[in-house]
Amino acid sequence: MCAERRRARAVRIGSVIIGGANDIAIQSMCTANTEDHAAVIEEIKRLEDAGCQIVRVGILNANAARAIGRIKSAISIPLVADIHFDHRLALIAIEEGVDKLRLNPGNIKNRDHIAAVAGAAKKNGVPIRIGVNSGSAPREILQKYGGTICAGLLVEAAQWEIKLLEEMAFYDIVISLKASSPRATIEAYRMMAGLCDYPLHLGVTEAGVAATGEIRSAIGIGVLLYEGIGDTFRVSLTDDPVKEIHAAKRILAAVFTR
Amino acid sequence: MNNLNEISGKEGGKEILDFSTVELCAGWPQREEFFNSFPGFAPLFTYHFPYEDGAAFERAKRLKLTGFQVVFNSPEEFLSAGRLEFPAPRDEKSRPAVFAGVDFGPGGGPELAAACNEFLSRAKIMYGAAAPLAVRLYVEPHTFEDAGIIVDGIYGRPTSWQWPRRLSICFGGGSAAGIIDLNRRIAAKYPFIRGSLHIEPSKGLDRVANALLFCLKFSDPLLADCTIAPVFADLDLAVIRGPHPAMSPASGHENPYFDTLEILRSLEFANIPGVFFISCPTCSRCRIDIISLAKKIYERVKYIETPIKIAVMGCEVNGPGEASHADIGVAGSPGGAVIFERGKIVERASPEDAEFKLMERVARHVR
């Protein structure tokens, strides 16, 4: 490694702690419909066997949110709920014992709702990942950058989201700024690394099928890890998520073995 | 890409790849496929041919290659081959058109330095001091200190003894980051050698490691003047030392040339042809079978030489955003799917005809 590891603040996600000098955790996301908890549990078990350390599920509605308790009781690794727009889903997920939320306060919009989520999360020790993504940058910020996806845009969007949580005195935050362009992604994380001490969840988004995604992820994630930036990461592949874990392990090997 | 900071991830201002810096190994069936798929563009690269492939020079001429390297598995193989008709470099400043690459294998500093110098003396006698030969020495020193002994041992000799005029050195071995670290340290300590360094793993790496190797080389000013060659290994086979593993048709990836092209494309050089393919990993939000749709479309577009961006997205969270930055995209929607072209929605589709409608538009772009 060419640089010292960036010392991010530590964030606990269930049984896993990221940040600081903790190991870099590898994670994935389920493809099964969350309401079908049996299918999700089966998928997560395969991910666990492959070495996945944290797993995320998408929560579209209350049924899916209420499946979290059952899923959690059947799996060993921490569970993250991916929630957009509806703050009530976040509240249910927290009640159900989820270990972390991926949620952008900016798309919740209503300040009282954001406050409610931040309050419940804080009370239950549930951290929140703000996930800025080149595919869903806030319109006002996108317009400022002339519609072009670049590192500055991703960082500004993240800072806006972070502020919404910090205003609620919530600091248990993890940040991701993923673009489909590996270069923009690398630049964005480098910038963000210098602007805060929150742990960073690395990833190149929408990286394509295995033949393209493994390569984009190796570039976008590997370079940052080599520079000491990053505390957890997810390889996005349009394929069986177990392949994401295999690719993640190969990225760690490429960067850290000598 | 001397410095990623210069580019700052903007979509304009992309860097141009100097093709002469990238050399490609691997064997014939995949190379033929690559040449057939990218006929205008494939000859720009430099290729490695094993000496035992008797028709190497003829093939190179037939394919109109601008540069190639003949690979000798040992100094003995080179010396017993007798004088070969290597084409001369165009001029002092340009990169040599043809290298003779000689593999010395692993060892300690003093042994490898002695072996290299002995070889160079004998090769000089064989070819004559005036021969414009370009030679590359492949060595695997155990440590950085050993590498230093080799550099000092070869370059430390009086200039009047230096032969050939073009000498390149490859310090192989280790993981992607390990190779980069070693070469960075050498480039930092011996600045005069930067233009002679060649980065090539001695053992096959998977595409993830080769991708990282490329990215680290191209983003480091210390390594700007190096050449690089990826070496791919079949993940299921142990890589055996001996005849260069990547040279045999049985080894390597589905097609290491395509992987190399994808690596260069992912580094976002402006002058790399072909499709930049974007698709989401799918999740429970997704209403269509994105995995199967994306794989089908990818298989159909991966040989296209036109540089276009195609996006296959599952839902409306990131779908429209990504698809709108693509030349052509499809995004899953509550009603089925939506087709984008250059940022605008141009038609709706069902999950069943999404592939057809997307490919129709792709075909029009490619014409």
Side-chain angles (χ1 to χ4, degrees), chain A residues 185-209:
Chain A
T185 301
I186 292 168
E187 263 321 286
Y189 281 102
R190 280 179 177 161
M191 263 193 224
M192 199 74 229
L195 293 171
C196 71
D197 68 349
Y198 292 121
L200 296 174
H201 163 128
L202 309 181
V204 176
T205 194
E206 333 296 10
V209 295

Side-chain angles (χ1 to χ4, degrees), chain B residues 115-127:
Chain B
C116 289
N117 281 328
E118 154 90 18
F119 162 76
L120 288 172
S121 301
R122 294 175 61 190
K124 181 180 178 183
I125 291 168
M126 210 165 95
Y127 276 82

Side-chain angles (χ1 to χ4, degrees), chain B residues 74-88:
Chain B
S74 66
E76 292 70 37
E77 190 180 25
F78 178 99
L79 294 168
S80 58
R83 268 192 73 125
L84 299 171
E85 288 303 313
F86 282 95

Side-chain angles (χ1 to χ4, degrees), chain A residues 238-257:
Chain A
T238 310
D239 212 318
D240 181 347
V242 166
K243 289 197 180 168
E244 296 181 356
I245 301 302
H246 296 156
K249 288 180 169 175
R250 281 149 54 203
I251 291 175
L252 288 173
V255 176
F256 293 113
T257 56

Side-chain angles (χ1 to χ4, degrees), chain B residues 48-302:
Chain B
H48 293 194
F49 297 74
Y51 166 68
E52 64 228 13
D53 174 356
F57 285 102
E58 310 320 307
R59 285 196 208 265
K61 270 193 245 164
R62 178 169 58 81
L63 294 168
K64 303 192 179 82
L65 298 184
T66 53
F68 59 99
Q69 173 175 283
V70 182
V71 178
F72 296 87
N73 295 308
S74 66
E76 292 70 37
E77 190 180 25
F78 178 99
L79 294 168
S80 58
R83 268 192 73 125
L84 299 171
E85 288 303 313
F86 282 95
R90 274 181 290 278
D91 55 59
E92 280 299 322
K93 296 214 172 55
S94 71
R95 289 187 187 274
V98 179
F99 271 107
V102 183
D103 197 350
F104 289 79
E111 302 88 81
L112 285 172
C116 289
N117 281 328
E118 154 90 18
F119 162 76
L120 288 172
S121 301
R122 294 175 61 190
K124 181 180 178 183
I125 291 168
M126 210 165 95
Y127 276 82
L133 197 59
V135 175
R136 178 179 287 150
L137 309 172
Y138 283 83
V139 290
E140 285 172 65
H142 299 312
T143 64
F144 168 69
E145 288 66 36
D146 286 319
I149 291 170
I150 294 166
V151 176
D152 287 329
I154 295 172
Y155 288 89
R157 309 169 85 198
T159 35
S160 59
W161 287 45
Q162 267 177 1
W163 185 93
R165 247 175 282 153
R166 288 301 173 83
L167 187 63
S168 167
I169 294 194
C170 174
F171 296 98
S175 64
I179 293 168
I180 291 290
D181 282 352
L182 179 63
N183 279 278
R184 293 183 79 242
R185 290 176 75 185
I186 292 167
K189 186 171 178 191
Y190 303 98
F192 60 83
I193 209 179
R194 286 179 201 172
S196 308
L197 282 176
H198 173 71
I199 293 175
E200 182 182 327
S202 58
K203 290 193 290 289
L205 302 178
D206 66 17
R207 66 182 158 214
V208 158
N210 279 305
L212 181 65
L213 190 76
F214 266 64
C215 189
L216 292 176
K217 176 269 192 266
F218 280 104
S219 59
D220 196 329
L222 276 177
L223 303 176
D225 295 327
C226 305
T227 50
I228 183 167
V231 176
F232 290 85
D234 187 323
L235 289 176
D236 295 325
L237 294 176
V239 176
I240 304 156
R241 197 90 193 93
H244 200 302
M247 304 306 286
S248 93
S251 79
H253 265 224
E254 191 191 303
N255 191 320
Y257 298 106
F258 281 96
D259 278 341
T260 305
L261 207 53
E262 186 54 50
I263 290 173
L264 295 171
R265 203 176 287 127
S266 297
L267 290 172
E268 297 174 82
F269 288 110
N271 55 336
I272 301 296
V275 171
F276 193 92
F277 187 82
I278 289 171
S279 62
C280 73
T282 201
C283 68
S284 68
R285 293 195 289 263
C286 187
R287 306 168 211 275
I288 53 180
D289 184 353
I290 267 295
I291 292 180
S292 133
L293 180 65
K295 284 180 173 180
K296 275 191 240 167
I297 293 173
Y298 178 71
E299 288 304 310
R300 293 177 70 174
V301 304
K302 71 183 188 184

